[in-house]
Amino acid sequence: IKNRLRKKIQSWNKKTLSKLGKEVMIKAILQVIPMHVMSVFLIPRSIGDEIEKILNSHWWGSNMVHNKGIK
């Protein structure tokens, strides 16, 4: 799950999207992937926390100096 999310984020970082576009992509794609898996399997809380960290780092940007994330 985490690798799929990272691949999606990396492919989007190369594209120029507006803040609204990134928000829609996060809500429409990134949040749906874990929900689909969780509808079939019970995942550990630690993986859920890591998924949340991945989404948060994409939204807020993990490195403000290199202008990553949505600001």
Side-chain angles (χ1 to χ4, degrees), residues 31-63:
Q31 290 179 343
V32 172
I33 293 171
M35 287 188 337
H36 174 71
V37 172
M38 289 187 288
S39 69
V40 178
F41 302 106
L42 181 63
I43 63 171
R45 182 177 296 272
S46 60
I47 292 178
D49 291 341
E50 290 177 31
I51 291 170
E52 185 176 353
K53 287 179 186 178
I54 292 169
L55 296 177
N56 289 341
S57 69
H58 179 62
W59 176 257
W60 294 107
S62 59
N63 189 349

Side-chain angles (χ1 to χ4, degrees), residues 14-29:
K14 296 175 185 174
K15 298 178 183 176
T16 305
L17 295 174
S18 66
K19 291 180 183 181
L20 182 59
K22 287 186 180 182
E23 179 183 3
V24 169
M25 292 298 241
I26 287 172
K27 290 181 178 179
I29 305 296

